[in-house]
Amino acid sequence: MKKEKDTRGVHGNIVCIGAGYIGGPTMAVIAKMNPDRRVTVVDIDAGRVAAWNSPDFALPIYEPGLVDVVREVRGRNLFFSTDIERAVKENDIIFVGVNTPTKMFGRGAGRASDLQYWEATARNIAKWANGDKIVVEKSTLPVRTAAAMEAILRTHEQFHFDVLSNPEFLAEGTAIADLLTPDRVLIGGPKTPEGEAAVETLVRVYRGSVRVEADGCGGWVPRDRILTTNVWSAELTKLAANAFLAQRVSSINAIAGLCEATGADVDEVARVIGADRRIGPKFLKAGPGFGGSCFKKDVLNLVYLCESFGLHTAAEYWTGVVRMNDHQQERIVSRLFRELFNTLANKRIALFGFAFKADTGDTRETPAARVAQLLLDEHVRLVVTDPKALVNARRDLADCPDVVYEDDPYRAAAEADAVLLMTDWKLYPSLDWARIYASMRKPALVYDTRNCLDAARLREIGFRVLNVGK
């Protein structure tokens, strides 16, 4: 088959630099929906790339449906490699999905994004490019970062680079479904003829295979769900969206504390609030607080940006969202302390769930880690169980040698004074709680921070039961 001349257009091949939570799933679905394009994912971490290439599909991250997509496209038009230089040279569209953690040193420590890996990637693209390229920001970045990337790429004396912003809006646990049927795709680009052409090239990627009929029928993402803005609006939208979602979690948890104090039921309050069409029901579930790689990092980044532009009242407002989240975890441990006779020392506590949410093995910024540390400060004998996150839990609590890790929740609960449920895995409501009760020290306590268990049934069995916001 003869190759089209405009390889940067319809038939442009794609590389993503960064094989993590963004790069792996996103590129797998792009490959699935664009069988005419070659899609490559590269990373400097040889172990991570080897996991993506593993014969038994033991992928480096767990995400429902991910294995099925990778199995379909890997080796067909999806490839994983450590040869970043070759990938930059061979591909027309370069997604940048490298890690941008919170900076923990120097100016902006604890709030600003650490952009050293991003800058190194930009410089390597400029060094290795052998033709014009479209460079797509996929990592979450501060506003006006694209300008810095353009400044670096502009140093190239021969080739032209169009820099676009295409932030991801994935929710871990539903990432594949989110990618296959997204609420929206956001593409930010320069308002120039070249920039608009580059945006249209990326639009074609999200419309799907070039086999789609020329009249626009069918396709992957409907055209009206592909939203275009200038670059700065796209960059800020990602931070703002996560900040708004985090704010809702902190808001309902603030109400949960008041419910506990007054006898109200937070689930009833949330149900009525969510029935208001102006508010809606999503992210009004009281619990141990938000976690994951994005919310806290992005809110703190927004705080730093507000401070940098002299918007100190706005910075204080968003700081309060993070402060309320931290307070929720302290409140959980304080309540457990009071219910267990004002001492936790030498009590065995079984932590059910360590992932920051169900259907993922991700433990980044998980509320369970902070709760675990607060419990260990009280000299608790801690046992951790989780169906997908025990490897990461061992890593996160590596400085705590006395923690016990159990695959089996029944063994984890044996002889425990309390079960503290931190992650709403579907497995937990289906457990034989009568069996668990029989194996525990009495009086046996269940603290369900996700409000996902049948509290009335647990009380019938004999448990003392605590819930968030009840």
Side-chain angles (χ1 to χ4, degrees), residues 437-457:
Y437 178 78
S439 74
M440 292 175 65
R441 289 214 308 172
K442 307 302 185 294
L445 174 70
V446 171
Y447 192 167
D448 177 9
T449 72
R450 298 286 183 168
N451 297 344
C452 67
L453 303 178
D454 185 341
R457 174 59 183 150

Side-chain angles (χ1 to χ4, degrees), residues 7-22:
T7 59
R8 214 182 62 171
V10 175
H11 290 282
N13 291 328
I14 296 169
V15 62
C16 180
I17 301 175
Y21 279 87
I22 297 173

Side-chain angles (χ1 to χ4, degrees), residues 44 122 218 238 267 278 309 318 321 324 345 352 383 424 441:
I44 60 172
K238 170 62 175 178
D267 286 342
R278 298 169 300 174
F309 290 103
W318 292 114
V321 171
M324 181 63 225
F352 274 34
V383 186
D424 52 344
R441 289 214 308 172

Side-chain angles (χ1 to χ4, degrees), residues 12 59 61 103 131 149 155 161 189 213 215 253 259 296 316 330 343 346 358 371 377 389-390 414 448 464:
L59 306 183
I61 64 173
K103 188 180 180 186
M149 178 172 278
T155 61
F161 300 88
E213 295 297 327
D215 63 3
N253 281 337
C259 288
K296 184 175 182 180
E316 291 173 6
E330 294 165 0
T343 178
N346 205 36
V371 167
D377 290 344
L390 276 191
D448 177 9
R464 298 161 65 206

Side-chain angles (χ1 to χ4, degrees), residues 180-318:
L180 289 171
T181 56
D183 291 335
R184 78 290 201 203
V185 170
L186 175 59
I187 303 173
K191 299 301 182 181
T192 63
E194 295 84 358
E196 290 174 355
V199 167
E200 184 56 33
T201 296
L202 191 53
V203 166
R204 292 185 197 133
V205 172
Y206 284 106
R207 290 291 290 126
S209 171
V210 297
R211 298 168 189 162
V212 174
E213 295 297 327
D215 63 3
C217 295
W220 169 17
V221 182
R223 185 61 184 85
D224 60 359
R225 292 190 187 179
I226 303 175
L227 310 179
T228 60
T229 66
N230 67 37
V231 176
W232 326 129
S233 295
E235 289 178 334
L236 181 57
T237 296
K238 170 62 175 178
L239 297 181
N242 279 344
F244 272 55
L245 295 175
Q247 183 267 344
R248 287 173 69 94
V249 175
S250 286
S251 292
I252 197 63
N253 281 337
I255 297 300
L258 194 57
C259 288
E260 292 169 17
T262 62
D265 185 321
V266 72
D267 286 342
E268 293 180 348
V269 173
R271 176 169 58 86
V272 178
I273 291 173
D276 188 327
R277 285 174 295 178
R278 298 169 300 174
I279 298 173
K282 294 186 176 181
F283 282 79
L284 291 181
K285 183 68 174 174
F290 56 76
S293 63
C294 292
F295 278 12
K296 184 175 182 180
K297 176 173 73 75
D298 290 355
V299 174
L300 291 174
N301 199 337
L302 194 59
V303 169
Y304 181 67
L305 285 170
C306 289
E307 291 177 341
S308 298
F309 290 103
L311 303 171
H312 299 295
T313 302
E316 291 173 6
Y317 174 81
W318 292 114

Side-chain angles (χ1 to χ4, degrees), residues 352 387 408-410 421 423-436 448 452-454 457-458 461:
F352 274 34
D408 186 342
Y410 295 106
L421 189 149
T423 311
D424 52 344
W425 287 102
K426 292 179 182 178
L427 163 71
Y428 295 146
S430 67
L431 294 175
D432 184 345
W433 285 95
R435 174 184 170 186
I436 290 173
D448 177 9
C452 67
L453 303 178
D454 185 341
R457 174 59 183 150
L458 292 177
I461 292 170

Side-chain angles (χ1 to χ4, degrees), residues 23 30-31 44 65 73 86 268 287 333 380 459:
I30 285 178
I44 60 172
V73 296
R86 179 180 177 182
E268 293 180 348
V333 175
V380 158
R459 291 190 177 97

Side-chain angles (χ1 to χ4, degrees), residues 354-371:
F354 201 83
F356 84 92
K357 63 184 292 189
D359 293 324
T360 179
D362 194 357
T363 62
R364 289 175 291 178
E365 298 294 342
T366 177
R370 189 157 186 272
V371 167

